[in-house]
Structures are given as C-alpha cells and as structure tokens.
Amino acid sequence: MIQMSLRYALPFLFALTSPLAALELEAMTDAERAAFRAEVRAYLLEDPEVLQEAISVLQERQQLAEVANDQLLAATYADKLFNDRHSYVGGNPTGDITIVEFMDYRCGYCKRAFPEIEALLATDANIRFIVKEYPILGEQSVLASRFAIATQLVAGDDAYKSVHDTLMEFNGNITQASMTRLAEILGLDAEAIIAQMDSEEVSNVIAANRTLGEQMQISGTPTFVVEDQMLRGYVPVDVMETIVADLRDE
C-alpha cells in the first residue's frame, strides 16, 4: 500500500488536498502510516526540487481560483458596480471598456495611481471610468469622501471632478476648515456643501459603497474592476493598457 500511495505524497503534505490520498491514508494502520511518512520524507530529502515544483503548482492553482472567484464577484455585482446612479462617471460615458476604482483620498497608492489613470483616460477616449468613494483609512478619509460626495450633490459632476482631483493631490490634514477653504478656492458654495456633508444622502452613498466592497471582498485601496477582472492594489498604467487591449481582443 505504501508504494502505491507514494504518488499522493505531495497532496498529503498540503493538508490532504487530494481526496483520494486522504481516503487511502485513513485506510492505513498506524504502522503503515508511519512507514508512509518516512518514505515521503526520504523521497523529499533525495529530490527536494519536487517540493518546490509542487509549491509552484499549488500557488498557480490558488491564483487561478482567486481570478475565477473575482470574475464571479464582478458578474454577481455588475449592476451595483457599473450602474449605481450615484458614483461619478468620467472618461467616455459610452466607452466600450469600463474601469471602476474603489479609492480613498488618504491612500498613498491611490495617489500614485491617480496621474496614471488620468493619462490612460487622456490617451484612450473609449474608456468609461467610475469612482467609488471607499473611505477606509480613518476619520479624515471619511471627511474627504463626505465633502466630495456633497459637492457632487450640490454642484454636479464637474465640480466633483475638480474636488476629486484636488484631493488626490492634497497631502495636508483634511479638516472642515481646509475643505471650506478648498471649496472657496474652487469657486464653489462652501456653505451649501458643508451643510450637505452630514446628510442622509451622503451617508447612504458611503454605506452602499462599503456594503458593495464587503460583498466583493475588497479590503484595500486602490482596487480596480476592469469589466470582469479585479485588480487589487496599485497597477502601473502599461499593465492597465495591456489588460484593456486584451479585453478588446476577446
């Protein structure tokens, strides 16, 4: 039995990921199981490269499983991702490829990605870009998102875009006073925006985005959804361009 079981040695090492290996191990006596483990150990000591190869295969399978799960999530929540009617839509609203970004104004990687996304939208006129306010890095993040969403409700998408861009490049403390000053600099009605910040409408947008993020297992920013693909973390613009081109070729 031990010789016949050796081909299941590596699945055994990975917590019995092979059901057949698990069944066969359960059928062994204590002595047979001890001999089997000794044989596995001797085999790996003699040819340790096998373990490295097995780990590589396991990692690849895990990555494929994660991609498949992300695609399922994107399909399941597609309507909330692409048609929620409260998120800012930029780029080409009728573009053939849609990119959604879950972002936080206090996120360093979001700030790093910002000019690259802007460059992508400037060079590719057929991308629809959706911003999901996803403040997860503390009170200042929440305050910034409330200010941006309130701006959109009070003054519209163009004003939101101006505020969004400014906040993405802003590195100071985010306070009500600094947001008031920002509104004044941009020629916006600061009093009306500040009054709107704690409204139920603004709270509902943030709550909806948080619920969607949790449903999609998003724990960090930036997270991008490009059609049916999820990109968790900062992605260089050339990689994003390749993904967009590949989606168009499908």
Side-chain angles (χ1 to χ4, degrees):
M1 178 181 291
I2 294 173
Q3 289 296 331
M4 186 172 64
S5 301
L6 185 55
R7 62 195 177 99
Y8 302 121
L10 294 175
F12 170 73
L13 293 176
F14 295 118
L16 300 179
T17 55
S18 165
L20 184 57
L23 288 173
E24 190 163 332
L25 284 165
E26 287 179 6
M28 292 179 182
T29 66
D30 289 344
E32 287 173 334
R33 193 175 294 110
F36 170 71
R37 289 171 176 161
E39 188 172 349
V40 170
R41 182 175 185 278
Y43 173 63
L44 293 177
L45 289 174
E46 181 180 348
D47 193 3
E49 289 80 8
V50 171
L51 185 57
Q52 185 175 352
E53 292 174 9
I55 292 173
S56 178
V57 170
L58 182 62
Q59 290 174 336
E60 183 178 352
R61 288 179 180 176
Q62 289 174 333
Q63 289 171 354
L64 290 173
E66 289 170 1
V67 169
N69 181 64
D70 284 347
Q71 289 178 328
L72 177 60
L73 290 172
T76 300
Y77 299 105
D79 192 51
K80 292 180 180 179
L81 279 168
F82 305 127
N83 305 297
D84 65 15
R85 298 186 180 182
H86 64 248
S87 295
Y88 170 78
V89 179
N92 181 350
T94 60
D96 65 340
I97 297 292
T98 298
I99 298 175
V100 179
E101 181 185 5
F102 288 77
M103 50 68 60
D104 184 309
Y105 292 113
R106 301 287 287 174
C107 166
Y109 284 105
C110 296
K111 292 180 180 294
R112 181 179 175 185
F114 171 67
E116 301 197 17
I117 293 296
E118 290 295 296
L120 177 63
L121 297 177
T123 57
D124 189 327
N126 210 19
I127 291 178
R128 180 174 178 246
F129 181 63
I130 298 174
V131 177
K132 299 285 188 186
E133 298 277 345
Y134 200 60
I136 58 175
L137 298 177
E139 293 183 4
Q140 290 192 42
S141 295
V142 174
L143 184 64
S145 282
R146 284 189 172 278
F147 180 78
I149 296 166
T151 299
Q152 185 180 24
L153 292 172
V154 169
D157 285 348
D158 289 345
Y160 171 89
K161 173 63 173 167
S162 296
V163 166
H164 173 81
D165 292 359
T166 303
L167 286 174
M168 291 304 296
E169 296 176 337
F170 183 73
N171 292 313
N173 288 325
I174 296 173
T175 64
Q176 183 167 313
S178 64
M179 294 300 93
T180 299
R181 179 59 179 153
L182 172 59
E184 292 170 347
I185 291 172
L186 295 176
L188 302 173
D189 186 342
E191 184 175 345
I193 293 171
I194 296 300
Q196 182 73 19
M197 284 177 61
D198 290 325
S199 69
E200 184 177 357
E201 290 176 279
V202 171
S203 296
N204 288 342
V205 171
I206 292 176
N209 288 349
R210 282 179 172 166
T211 297
L212 178 59
E214 290 168 2
Q215 290 169 330
M216 298 196 65
Q217 301 168 15
I218 294 172
S219 58
T221 55
T223 293
F224 297 94
V225 182
V226 187
E227 295 294 328
D228 66 345
Q229 298 185 32
M230 289 184 65
L231 309 173
R232 299 177 184 271
Y234 165 77
V235 179
V237 67
D238 57 338
V239 174
M240 192 77 77
E241 289 171 342
T242 299
I243 291 170
V244 169
D246 289 345
L247 285 169
R248 287 187 174 130
D249 290 338
E250 289 181 355

